[in-house]
Amino acid sequence: MSFLSRDAQPSRLLVLNGNPARKTLCGAMAERIADSAREQGQTVRLVHLEDLDFDANLRDGYRARMDWEPDLAALAESLTWCDRLVIVHPLWWGSAPAKLKGLFDRVLMPGFGFQYIEGKALPKPLLAGRKARVVITSDTPTIFLKWYYGNGWVKVLRRQILAFCGFKDLKVKYFSPVRGAKPEALANMMEDAAGILG
């Protein structure tokens, strides 16, 4: 079954380029995914992390509420609006770029991403009913990422961030190694990235 809706109601797709620079392979992949979804008749919003102006440091944790900057408020509205989410990002030091992790810290707060329930061990997810896909670029060959390093970041992203907030049908697509790849290989990666919608 396709990630995108096949019925009369188009999916509302949010594509997030989680590379802090726009003119990158991740940026090109995010744009190609967005274009492919539009070609299929979907309603799409494309957000580049580079364009978001916010403090990535959750200074007081959950002890005090940090008001959202306008760009974070707009992204939160897009997360509420969407029923499908695609995140595209590079793997840096086995994890996400700091600004992307900071984005999760700042936006997915209690009362928006999840809600604590008195007497319950686990909170209630507040973004349920949505599906997610993740595209990751890496210099580390996928076999090493999975079998030697244990794929720690992907487990965190899938289980402790996206699923924790209610996203389902989570799938991850890897593209590696990027470093040293020839232009035609990079072009193929870009086209293959759009296959995440299938």
Side-chain angles (χ1 to χ4, degrees):
M1 175 177 262
S2 172
F3 176 62
L4 297 179
S5 176
R6 294 295 189 193
D7 58 23
Q9 180 66 38
S11 292
R12 298 181 303 277
L13 177 66
L14 173 60
V15 180
L16 172 62
N17 168 24
N19 191 315
R22 180 194 292 248
K23 293 182 179 179
T24 60
L25 178 60
C26 287
M29 285 177 164
E31 290 174 3
R32 181 66 192 98
I33 291 166
D35 287 344
S36 179
R38 290 187 190 105
E39 289 163 8
Q40 296 178 47
Q42 307 301 317
T43 305
V44 181
R45 293 183 185 179
L46 172 62
V47 175
H48 291 276
L49 187 61
E50 179 185 63
D51 296 337
L52 304 183
D53 184 16
F54 66 96
D55 183 353
N57 181 22
L58 185 62
R59 292 187 300 271
D60 296 312
Y62 296 162
R63 294 184 301 276
R65 179 82 184 185
M66 279 180 74
D67 289 337
W68 284 335
E69 295 87 345
D71 286 347
L72 288 190
L75 182 68
E77 189 277 327
S78 288
L79 283 167
T80 302
W81 165 84
C82 78
D83 57 27
R84 304 291 189 277
L85 170 67
V86 174
I87 301 170
V88 184
H89 77 79
L91 195 73
W92 289 357
W93 289 108
S95 182
K99 189 175 180 182
L100 178 58
K101 177 58 169 59
L103 181 72
F104 295 143
D105 288 347
R106 290 292 316 282
V107 171
L108 300 176
M109 294 288 291
F112 179 74
F114 63 95
Q115 185 62 58
Y116 291 117
I117 306 296
E118 189 69 33
K120 300 282 187 181
L122 293 175
K124 177 183 178 181
L126 297 181
L127 294 173
R130 295 163 177 80
K131 296 181 179 181
R133 295 285 189 269
V134 179
V135 172
I136 295 177
T137 63
S138 173
D139 291 334
T140 304
T142 303
I143 191 167
F144 284 97
L145 178 64
K146 289 182 176 180
W147 299 111
Y148 183 74
Y149 292 120
N151 227 2
W153 165 246
V154 171
K155 292 175 183 174
V156 169
L157 180 59
R158 291 178 73 176
R159 300 175 190 172
Q160 293 181 273
I161 298 176
L162 294 173
F164 189 86
C165 293
F167 286 91
K168 302 292 184 188
D169 193 24
L170 306 171
K171 291 184 174 64
V172 179
K173 191 163 189 169
Y174 304 92
F175 293 92
S176 68
V178 172
R179 186 173 182 271
K182 297 184 182 302
E184 56 268 27
L186 294 174
N188 288 337
M189 288 181 189
M190 251 182 51
E191 286 306 308
D192 287 348
I196 199 79
L197 302 176

Short mmCIF file of all heavy atoms in Angstrom, two decimals, residues 37-64:
data_model
loop_
_atom_site.label_atom_id
_atom_site.label_comp_id
_atom_site.label_asym_id
_atom_site.label_seq_id
_atom_site.Cartn_x
_atom_site.Cartn_y
_atom_site.Cartn_z
N ALA A 37 5.43 14.04 -4.90
CA ALA A 37 4.12 13.99 -4.24
C ALA A 37 3.14 14.93 -4.93
O ALA A 37 1.97 14.58 -5.13
CB ALA A 37 4.26 14.35 -2.78
N ARG A 38 3.60 16.11 -5.31
CA ARG A 38 2.72 17.06 -6.01
C ARG A 38 2.27 16.47 -7.35
O ARG A 38 1.12 16.65 -7.75
CB ARG A 38 3.44 18.40 -6.22
CG ARG A 38 3.65 19.19 -4.94
CD ARG A 38 4.21 20.57 -5.24
NE ARG A 38 4.63 21.24 -4.03
CZ ARG A 38 5.89 21.40 -3.64
NH1 ARG A 38 6.88 20.95 -4.40
NH2 ARG A 38 6.17 22.01 -2.50
N GLU A 39 3.20 15.80 -8.04
CA GLU A 39 2.85 15.16 -9.32
C GLU A 39 1.77 14.11 -9.14
O GLU A 39 1.01 13.83 -10.07
CB GLU A 39 4.10 14.53 -9.94
CG GLU A 39 5.11 15.53 -10.46
CD GLU A 39 6.49 14.92 -10.69
OE1 GLU A 39 6.63 13.67 -10.59
OE2 GLU A 39 7.43 15.70 -10.96
N GLN A 40 1.69 13.54 -7.95
CA GLN A 40 0.66 12.54 -7.65
C GLN A 40 -0.63 13.17 -7.11
O GLN A 40 -1.53 12.47 -6.68
CB GLN A 40 1.21 11.54 -6.61
CG GLN A 40 2.38 10.73 -7.11
CD GLN A 40 2.92 9.79 -6.06
OE1 GLN A 40 2.16 9.08 -5.40
NE2 GLN A 40 4.24 9.79 -5.87
N GLY A 41 -0.68 14.50 -7.12
CA GLY A 41 -1.89 15.19 -6.71
C GLY A 41 -2.00 15.46 -5.22
O GLY A 41 -3.08 15.80 -4.73
N GLN A 42 -0.87 15.31 -4.49
CA GLN A 42 -0.90 15.52 -3.05
C GLN A 42 -0.68 16.99 -2.71
O GLN A 42 -0.10 17.75 -3.48
CB GLN A 42 0.18 14.66 -2.38
CG GLN A 42 0.11 13.19 -2.74
CD GLN A 42 -1.22 12.56 -2.38
OE1 GLN A 42 -1.76 12.80 -1.31
NE2 GLN A 42 -1.76 11.75 -3.27
N THR A 43 -1.16 17.36 -1.54
CA THR A 43 -0.93 18.71 -1.02
C THR A 43 0.34 18.64 -0.17
O THR A 43 0.45 17.81 0.73
CB THR A 43 -2.11 19.16 -0.14
OG1 THR A 43 -3.31 19.05 -0.92
CG2 THR A 43 -1.93 20.58 0.33
N VAL A 44 1.30 19.51 -0.47
CA VAL A 44 2.64 19.39 0.12
C VAL A 44 3.10 20.71 0.72
O VAL A 44 2.91 21.77 0.14
CB VAL A 44 3.67 18.94 -0.95
CG1 VAL A 44 5.06 18.79 -0.34
CG2 VAL A 44 3.23 17.64 -1.61
N ARG A 45 3.73 20.60 1.87
CA ARG A 45 4.50 21.70 2.45
C ARG A 45 5.94 21.22 2.59
O ARG A 45 6.18 20.15 3.14
CB ARG A 45 3.96 22.11 3.81
CG ARG A 45 2.58 22.74 3.76
CD ARG A 45 2.13 23.19 5.15
NE ARG A 45 0.76 23.68 5.12
CZ ARG A 45 0.10 24.12 6.21
NH1 ARG A 45 0.72 24.11 7.41
NH2 ARG A 45 -1.13 24.55 6.11
N LEU A 46 6.88 22.01 2.11
CA LEU A 46 8.30 21.70 2.19
C LEU A 46 8.98 22.70 3.10
O LEU A 46 8.85 23.92 2.91
CB LEU A 46 8.93 21.74 0.79
CG LEU A 46 10.45 21.62 0.69
CD1 LEU A 46 10.94 20.28 1.25
CD2 LEU A 46 10.90 21.79 -0.76
N VAL A 47 9.69 22.20 4.09
CA VAL A 47 10.39 23.06 5.06
C VAL A 47 11.87 22.71 5.06
O VAL A 47 12.23 21.52 5.17
CB VAL A 47 9.80 22.89 6.48
CG1 VAL A 47 10.61 23.69 7.49
CG2 VAL A 47 8.34 23.29 6.52
N HIS A 48 12.70 23.73 4.94
CA HIS A 48 14.15 23.55 5.05
C HIS A 48 14.59 24.04 6.42
O HIS A 48 14.30 25.17 6.82
CB HIS A 48 14.88 24.33 3.96
CG HIS A 48 14.66 23.80 2.58
ND1 HIS A 48 15.41 22.75 2.08
CD2 HIS A 48 13.79 24.17 1.60
CE1 HIS A 48 15.01 22.50 0.83
NE2 HIS A 48 14.03 23.34 0.53
N LEU A 49 15.30 23.18 7.14
CA LEU A 49 15.78 23.53 8.47
C LEU A 49 16.58 24.83 8.45
O LEU A 49 16.52 25.62 9.40
CB LEU A 49 16.64 22.38 9.01
CG LEU A 49 17.11 22.45 10.46
CD1 LEU A 49 15.94 22.49 11.43
CD2 LEU A 49 18.02 21.26 10.78
N GLU A 50 17.32 25.06 7.37
CA GLU A 50 18.12 26.27 7.24
C GLU A 50 17.28 27.54 7.39
O GLU A 50 17.77 28.57 7.88
CB GLU A 50 18.82 26.28 5.87
CG GLU A 50 19.68 27.50 5.62
CD GLU A 50 20.26 27.52 4.22
OE1 GLU A 50 19.48 27.60 3.24
OE2 GLU A 50 21.49 27.45 4.11
N ASP A 51 16.02 27.47 6.97
CA ASP A 51 15.16 28.66 6.98
C ASP A 51 14.54 28.95 8.34
O ASP A 51 13.90 29.99 8.51
CB ASP A 51 14.04 28.50 5.95
CG ASP A 51 14.56 28.41 4.53
OD1 ASP A 51 15.69 28.90 4.28
OD2 ASP A 51 13.86 27.85 3.67
N LEU A 52 14.68 28.03 9.29
CA LEU A 52 14.03 28.18 10.59
C LEU A 52 14.96 28.88 11.57
O LEU A 52 16.08 28.44 11.81
CB LEU A 52 13.61 26.82 11.15
CG LEU A 52 12.70 25.97 10.26
CD1 LEU A 52 12.32 24.69 10.98
CD2 LEU A 52 11.47 26.76 9.83
N ASP A 53 14.46 29.97 12.15
CA ASP A 53 15.24 30.75 13.11
C ASP A 53 14.70 30.48 14.51
O ASP A 53 13.58 30.90 14.84
CB ASP A 53 15.12 32.25 12.77
CG ASP A 53 15.97 33.12 13.66
OD1 ASP A 53 16.88 32.59 14.34
OD2 ASP A 53 15.72 34.34 13.70
N PHE A 54 15.46 29.74 15.31
CA PHE A 54 15.01 29.40 16.66
C PHE A 54 16.22 29.02 17.50
O PHE A 54 17.28 28.67 16.98
CB PHE A 54 14.00 28.25 16.64
CG PHE A 54 14.57 26.93 16.18
CD1 PHE A 54 15.02 25.97 17.08
CD2 PHE A 54 14.67 26.65 14.81
CE1 PHE A 54 15.54 24.77 16.65
CE2 PHE A 54 15.20 25.44 14.37
CZ PHE A 54 15.64 24.50 15.30
N ASP A 55 16.05 29.06 18.81
CA ASP A 55 17.07 28.62 19.75
C ASP A 55 16.94 27.10 19.88
O ASP A 55 15.93 26.60 20.36
CB ASP A 55 16.85 29.30 21.10
CG ASP A 55 17.91 28.95 22.13
OD1 ASP A 55 18.76 28.07 21.85
OD2 ASP A 55 17.90 29.55 23.21
N ALA A 56 17.96 26.37 19.46
CA ALA A 56 17.90 24.91 19.49
C ALA A 56 18.15 24.34 20.88
O ALA A 56 18.01 23.13 21.07
CB ALA A 56 18.91 24.33 18.50
N ASN A 57 18.50 25.17 21.82
CA ASN A 57 18.82 24.71 23.16
C ASN A 57 17.59 24.82 24.07
O ASN A 57 17.13 25.91 24.38
CB ASN A 57 19.97 25.55 23.74
CG ASN A 57 20.36 25.11 25.14
OD1 ASN A 57 20.10 23.97 25.54
ND2 ASN A 57 20.99 25.99 25.88
N LEU A 58 17.07 23.68 24.50
CA LEU A 58 15.96 23.66 25.46
C LEU A 58 16.55 23.93 26.84
O LEU A 58 16.84 23.02 27.62
CB LEU A 58 15.25 22.31 25.40
CG LEU A 58 13.98 22.15 26.24
CD1 LEU A 58 12.89 23.11 25.80
CD2 LEU A 58 13.49 20.71 26.18
N ARG A 59 16.73 25.19 27.15
CA ARG A 59 17.57 25.62 28.27
C ARG A 59 17.14 25.07 29.62
O ARG A 59 17.98 24.69 30.43
CB ARG A 59 17.62 27.15 28.33
CG ARG A 59 18.36 27.80 27.17
CD ARG A 59 18.51 29.28 27.39
NE ARG A 59 17.24 29.96 27.51
CZ ARG A 59 16.55 30.45 26.49
NH1 ARG A 59 17.01 30.32 25.26
NH2 ARG A 59 15.41 31.06 26.67
N ASP A 60 15.86 25.04 29.90
CA ASP A 60 15.38 24.61 31.21
C ASP A 60 14.69 23.26 31.18
O ASP A 60 13.98 22.91 32.13
CB ASP A 60 14.42 25.67 31.79
CG ASP A 60 15.13 26.99 32.05
OD1 ASP A 60 16.22 26.95 32.65
OD2 ASP A 60 14.61 28.03 31.63
N GLY A 61 14.87 22.50 30.11
CA GLY A 61 14.18 21.23 30.01
C GLY A 61 12.67 21.45 30.11
O GLY A 61 12.13 22.38 29.50
N TYR A 62 11.99 20.62 30.89
CA TYR A 62 10.54 20.76 31.06
C TYR A 62 10.19 21.54 32.32
O TYR A 62 9.03 21.64 32.68
CB TYR A 62 9.87 19.38 31.11
CG TYR A 62 10.00 18.59 29.83
CD1 TYR A 62 9.79 17.22 29.83
CD2 TYR A 62 10.32 19.20 28.62
CE1 TYR A 62 9.89 16.47 28.66
CE2 TYR A 62 10.43 18.48 27.47
CZ TYR A 62 10.22 17.12 27.48
OH TYR A 62 10.33 16.39 26.31
N ARG A 63 11.20 22.12 32.96
CA ARG A 63 10.93 22.87 34.20
C ARG A 63 10.24 24.20 33.93
O ARG A 63 9.52 24.72 34.78
CB ARG A 63 12.23 23.11 34.97
CG ARG A 63 12.87 21.83 35.50
CD ARG A 63 14.10 22.12 36.34
NE ARG A 63 15.13 22.83 35.58
CZ ARG A 63 16.02 22.24 34.79
NH1 ARG A 63 15.99 20.92 34.64
NH2 ARG A 63 16.92 22.94 34.14
N ALA A 64 10.51 24.77 32.77
CA ALA A 64 9.90 26.06 32.40
C ALA A 64 9.61 26.04 30.91
O ALA A 64 10.39 25.50 30.13
CB ALA A 64 10.82 27.22 32.76
#
